[in-house]
């Protein structure tokens, strides 16, 4: 089997191919059609006071009666993180919160875990180490069930910090945060694949990660770069639009017209990057891709195209 990092290199040359029918997750009972939403969060979301980001997540899941699962396997202390979020969601009035406990690959392939995933209205992925989480989920039944839950059953999936990074297909796995972009300053790997045309970075303004996101954009100029501030979330509604929630902003980098010297310099040398577009999307704003809407008229054409790429349904793995 190909390693995930080998597939990162191959992904630039070939589109994602669904698994064979023999590998599919059993089809769940038919339910009313819902629109799946994604909610990458920049980390350090407020859990004590107004809790604007977490309240919005609960609303998108269906409110107090929603069935919410917390996946904390990215953390070095999964039980401690689960208990912390259990208390927060209880205080927000959620009546049905459970831990999606996946400590091993055996658990990730178990019927019990698959059933939990297919029975959830909202999945919250904690912070920690995104590579640790993908090592547990890659090519497992749980991985495929997550795609069924989102694409078919309309589950809302949120991820904070590492949980946000893992929502991308091209996942920012690790790397420094140079002041100016450098070749190979960061490393890409394969993530869960719900966001197929963008690379997500978090703690963005607080940790000065613009140089890092520009560095990976030079490596993959066909992607968008999404930098999310702390206590801030980007709500992605498939085929509809995006919304910024919280107290910060989302930095959207568009390198589709980029020209750089990436192929001409050595590793960790400074990069020349020409033609990058930077859009700053503050909390409280919504950007709809429906032609004729007020939001559509207000956006410049390049931003319309970028938002349309963000909300385009990605391929289902299952």
């Amino acid at each position: 089997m190909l390693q995930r990092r080998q597939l990162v290199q191959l992904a630039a040359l070939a589109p994602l191919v669904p698994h064979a029918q023999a590998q599919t997750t059993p089809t769940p009972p038919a339910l009313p059609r819902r629109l799946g939403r994604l909610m990458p969060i920049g980390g350090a979301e407020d859990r004590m006071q107004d809790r604007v980001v977490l309240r919005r997540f609960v609303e998108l899941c269906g409110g107090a009666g929603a069935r919410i699962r917390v996946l904390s396997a990215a953390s070095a202390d999964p039980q401690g993180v689960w208990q912390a979020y259990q208390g927060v969601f209880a205080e927000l009035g959620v009546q049905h919160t459970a831990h999606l406990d996946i400590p091993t690959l055996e658990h990730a392939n178990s019927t019990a875990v698959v059933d939990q995933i297919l029975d959830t209205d909202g999945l919250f992925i904690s912070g920690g180490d995104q590579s640790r989480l993908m090592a547990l989920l890659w090519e497992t039944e749980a991985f495929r069930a997550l795609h069924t839950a989102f694409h078919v059953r309309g589950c809302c999936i949120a991820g904070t910090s590492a949980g946000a990074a893992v929502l991308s297909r091209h996942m920012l796995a690790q790397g420094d945060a140079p002041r100016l972009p450098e070749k190979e300053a960061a490393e890409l790997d394969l993530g869960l694949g719900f966001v197929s045309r963008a690379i997500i970075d978090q703690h963005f303004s607080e940790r000065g990660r613009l140089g890092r996101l520009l560095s990976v954009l030079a490596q993959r100029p066909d992607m968008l770069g999404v930098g999310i501030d702390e206590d801030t979330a980007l709500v992605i509604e498939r085929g509809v639009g995006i919304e910024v929630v919280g107290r910060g902003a989302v930095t959207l980098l568009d390198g589709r017209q980029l020209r750089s010297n990436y192929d001409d310099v050595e590793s960790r040398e400074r990069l020349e990057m020409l033609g990058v577009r930077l859009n700053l999307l503050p909390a409280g704003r919504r950007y709809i891709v429906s032609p004729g809407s007020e939001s559509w008229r207000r956006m410049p054409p390049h931003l319309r195209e970028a938002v349309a790429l963000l909300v385009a349904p990605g391929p289902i793995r299952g």
Side-chain angles (χ1 to χ4, degrees), residues 73-131:
S75 172
D77 180 19
Q79 288 297 327
V81 168
W82 148 239
Q83 290 170 11
Y85 280 107
Q86 180 185 30
V88 172
F89 286 127
E91 291 175 5
L92 289 174
V94 179
Q95 301 165 13
H96 309 288
T97 308
H99 189 202
L100 184 60
D101 190 19
I102 308 181
T104 67
L105 283 171
E106 182 179 0
H107 286 80
N109 283 301
S110 70
T111 301
V113 164
V114 168
D115 288 346
Q116 285 187 72
I117 293 171
L118 296 180
D119 190 43
T120 189
D121 300 307
L123 177 71
F124 189 90
I125 306 174
S126 79
D129 182 343
Q130 53 264 48
S131 295

Side-chain angles (χ1 to χ4, degrees), residues 265-281:
V265 300
E266 300 296 325
S267 179
R268 304 314 299 261
E269 284 190 30
R270 293 267 176 88
L271 291 167
E272 177 187 58
M273 302 182 67
L274 308 177
V276 179
R277 285 192 168 106
L278 186 152
N279 301 276
L280 189 68
L281 314 179

Side-chain angles (χ1 to χ4, degrees), residues 39 41 44-48 50-61 68 84-85 88-89 92 94 124 158 160 231 233 245-246:
M39 193 174 182
I41 304 166
E45 69 281 359
D46 172 23
R47 304 185 208 172
M48 303 295 292
D50 295 335
R51 301 166 174 168
V52 172
V53 170
L54 293 177
R55 286 183 189 277
R56 184 69 175 125
F57 170 65
V58 172
E59 290 173 2
L60 293 173
C61 293
I68 292 178
Y85 280 107
V88 172
F89 286 127
L92 289 174
V94 179
F124 189 90
T160 183
D231 196 21
V245 178

Side-chain angles (χ1 to χ4, degrees), residues 8 23 31 45 75 138 159 245 254:
V8 169
Q23 294 178 303
L31 290 176
E45 69 281 359
S75 172
W138 178 249
V245 178
D254 186 347

Side-chain angles (χ1 to χ4, degrees), residues 132-276:
R132 177 189 291 122
L133 181 60
M134 285 310 304
L136 286 169
L137 292 180
W138 178 249
E139 297 290 7
T140 64
E141 292 303 316
F143 182 29
R144 289 183 274 277
L146 287 170
H147 276 260
T148 300
F150 176 72
H151 289 284
V152 178
R153 305 190 68 165
C155 173
C156 177
I157 300 181
T160 183
S161 191
V166 82
L167 296 178
S168 303
R169 170 150 173 85
H170 298 278
M171 179 183 76
L172 209 166
Q174 61 182 358
D176 300 332
R179 185 172 60 87
L180 295 173
E182 300 174 0
K183 182 174 180 176
E184 298 175 352
E187 182 177 320
L188 293 176
D189 204 336
L190 284 182
L192 292 175
F194 294 111
V195 180
S196 60
R197 294 296 304 273
I199 299 165
I200 298 173
D201 205 351
Q202 1 74 30
H203 305 281
F204 195 68
S205 295
E206 292 78 7
R207 300 187 185 179
R209 288 181 166 174
L210 177 60
R212 179 165 88 166
L213 192 55
L214 284 168
S215 299
V216 297
L217 200 65
Q219 182 179 345
R220 289 302 307 262
D222 56 317
M223 296 284 113
L224 300 171
V226 176
I228 308 177
D229 293 348
E230 292 180 355
D231 196 21
T232 306
L234 176 67
V235 178
I236 302 173
E237 302 176 77
R238 289 190 300 160
V240 176
I242 60 174
E243 174 188 2
V244 183
V245 178
R247 65 176 178 86
V250 170
T251 301
L252 179 60
L253 300 177
D254 186 347
R256 289 174 298 153
Q257 303 299 320
L258 170 66
R259 294 184 180 181
S260 80
N261 61 342
Y262 185 87
D263 293 330
D264 301 324
V265 300
E266 300 296 325
S267 179
R268 304 314 299 261
E269 284 190 30
R270 293 267 176 88
L271 291 167
E272 177 187 58
M273 302 182 67
L274 308 177
V276 179

